[in-house]
Amino acid sequence: MSEAEYIDLRSDTVTKPTPEMRLAMAEAEVGDDVFMDDPTVNALQARAAEMLGKEDALFVPSGTMGNLLALLIHCQRGDEIILGDQSHIYVNEAGGMAALGGIYPHPIKNQNDGTLALAEIRAAIQPEDAHRAMTRLICIENTHNACGGVPLSVAYTQQVGELAKENNLRLHIDGARIFNAAVALNVNVRELVAPADSVMFCLSKGLAAPVGSMLLGDRSFIARARRLRKMLGGGMRQVGVLAAAGLVALEKMIGRLAQDHARAKRMFELLSPIQKIKLDAEPASNMLYFDLTDEVKLDVNQITNEMKQRGVLVEAADVRRFRLVTHCWVSDADVERTAQALAEVLR
Ligand code: TLP
């Protein structure tokens, strides 16, 4: 089986650029972006800032770098940040905040809906006391990946924003999939990020651009981010070839995310009758998680192999847990085929 024939549900990061993106990339006008004279990068940054209602934006190589830059700007060495114990920044970014910023994470429990309880955030803020680290920043994630791709509401985000302001803290949103959240909630993305001092979102996930994320904030924040990006080796040159795909992602790929969400729901429906797995709640965006019950004698690696033999790529999220992610390269028929394959493997 050639690679292109597999149904790939391991992540929405596997999305390949669309034909329109490839064309835009081939024709992109470019310049040296370290001199800030790549017109395509400049256009992408301006468009992203306008769409999210922030003063300025910076094109960065990855979501991880975007989050790291934000943390390094908001915090000094020894400062503390409050974030979810299931958050991507805490769990999946190689401890970059500590390794590179001397930043001390103060994780609190992510509730099932991806939020951090306001009372718990409040309780986690360090008092003015020479024994304690200084709390600087709150981070939330929207949609929340490990909590099932759940979107966090505008009202909740506003409450966190107010709490941050009252306590002279900054708020950063890891919005890797912020457009999935906006679509799932049927709100303008601006409302979801308005309370945040900074926000990162990815072009390279459900929006299908091959590479890149955007970091947004006010002008002085982005100026500092540009310097730090250079320090970390992320100052790219004729990177308009990538930004061109990002522009197509913003103009053409947001409107269709609802299809991915509908397909995740359909997958949920089709998998519901399978007794041997325990599904999480019905998906609100493009991710579906389930656990294997004790009845299943195969381990996750065996299931992954069996599924691969049936043309479906899946990845374990834990020792007895899977995450399936829908995206623009997964069709209605692929959803049906996946459900059939899984039923067969578990039989
Ligand atoms: N998430 C990836 C893996 O790293 C788990 C995935 O397959 O979902 N924030 C969130 C919420 C993310 O889900 C991810 C990537 C990132 C940040 C990092 O983005 P990249 O991979 O561009 O560094």
Side-chain angles (χ1 to χ4, degrees):
M1 195 166 203
S2 89
E3 222 197 274
E5 288 164 15
Y6 284 108
I7 301 168
D8 195 344
L9 299 161
R10 292 172 299 170
S11 181
D12 47 11
T13 59
V14 303
T15 45
K16 295 173 186 166
T18 63
E20 190 175 352
M21 286 178 187
R22 289 185 190 267
L23 194 64
M25 292 170 79
E27 291 177 348
E29 228 187 291
V30 296
D32 189 329
D33 183 49
V34 173
F35 291 118
M36 294 170 66
D37 63 9
D38 185 306
T40 312
V41 173
N42 292 341
L44 173 65
Q45 291 172 166
R47 183 74 184 115
E50 178 196 278
M51 287 173 81
L52 272 78
K54 297 292 180 197
E55 269 180 23
D56 208 352
L58 186 71
F59 186 50
V60 292
S62 68
T64 301
M65 188 190 279
N67 283 332
L68 178 64
L69 295 176
L71 270 49
L72 292 175
I73 293 165
H74 291 307
C75 300
Q76 301 294 312
R77 298 186 73 78
D79 285 349
E80 194 166 291
I81 72 176
I82 296 171
L83 78 180
D85 63 350
Q86 303 292 316
S87 64
H88 195 277
I89 295 180
Y90 183 54
V91 179
N92 275 321
E93 298 188 7
M97 71 174 102
L100 301 171
I103 300 164
Y104 198 49
H106 187 147
I108 60 179
K109 196 175 155 20
N110 273 115
Q111 306 187 101
N112 287 342
D113 64 359
T115 62
L116 306 173
L118 296 175
E120 285 189 35
I121 299 179
R122 237 179 242 115
I125 299 171
Q126 299 288 10
E128 228 2 90
D129 178 335
H131 297 83
R132 304 296 187 96
M134 278 192 279
T135 311
R136 287 280 178 222
L137 180 70
I138 302 171
C139 295
I140 57 175
E141 184 176 315
N142 199 3
T143 60
H144 199 291
N145 182 345
C147 292
V150 280
L152 276 52
S153 70
V154 172
Y156 172 76
T157 309
Q158 281 170 348
Q159 286 171 329
V160 179
E162 278 158 30
L163 201 163
K165 270 213 181 70
E166 282 162 20
N167 292 280
N168 196 25
L169 305 177
R170 301 281 167 272
L171 174 62
H172 173 69
I173 299 181
D174 173 352
R177 299 180 179 83
I178 198 72
F179 288 103
N180 292 86
V183 167
L185 297 167
N186 196 20
V187 297
N188 188 314
V189 69
R190 283 174 170 232
E191 293 183 65
L192 279 178
V193 302
D197 297 286
S198 56
V199 50
M200 182 284 291
F201 77 85
C202 295
L203 296 161
S204 62
K205 300 200 162 61
L207 301 183
V211 180
S213 296
M214 306 301 300
L215 180 64
L216 300 102
D218 66 22
R219 264 183 213 98
S220 69
F221 172 89
I222 293 300
R224 293 178 68 189
R226 181 171 285 110
R227 180 183 291 269
L228 275 174
R229 181 187 66 176
K230 190 77 182 78
M231 188 192 286
L232 295 176
M236 299 176 285
R237 301 292 178 176
Q238 286 72 35
V239 70
V241 288
L242 296 178
L247 275 166
V248 176
L250 288 182
E251 301 313 333
K252 298 290 170 68
M253 302 303 283
I254 296 167
R256 57 153 312 287
L257 290 174
Q259 292 176 37
D260 300 340
H261 300 182
R263 289 186 178 120
K265 283 199 170 67
R266 176 68 183 147
M267 185 85 81
F268 176 86
E269 247 172 58
L270 292 170
L271 299 187
S272 291
I274 305 180
Q275 305 280 326
K276 289 185 175 173
I277 60 172
K278 193 178 170 315
L279 289 162
D280 281 13
E282 182 180 63
S285 69
N286 66 333
M287 293 179 184
L288 170 145
Y289 281 85
F290 61 85
D291 290 305
L292 303 174
T293 65
D294 293 341
E295 268 183 79
V296 179
K297 299 304 168 211
L298 301 175
D299 66 25
V300 286
N301 293 328
Q302 289 168 315
I303 292 178
T304 303
N305 288 337
E306 290 290 330
M307 289 297 283
K308 188 169 181 184
Q309 281 172 31
R310 288 164 179 78
V312 185
L313 302 180
V314 294
E315 198 179 51
D318 209 335
V319 277
R320 298 290 286 169
R321 191 165 170 77
F322 279 96
R323 178 187 75 165
L324 308 184
V325 187
T326 54
H327 49 74
C328 59
W329 296 104
V330 176
S331 67
D332 289 333
D334 293 342
V335 171
E336 308 284 325
R337 263 181 62 197
T338 299
Q340 268 170 23
L342 189 65
E344 211 176 285
V345 169
L346 293 176
R347 200 168 289 142

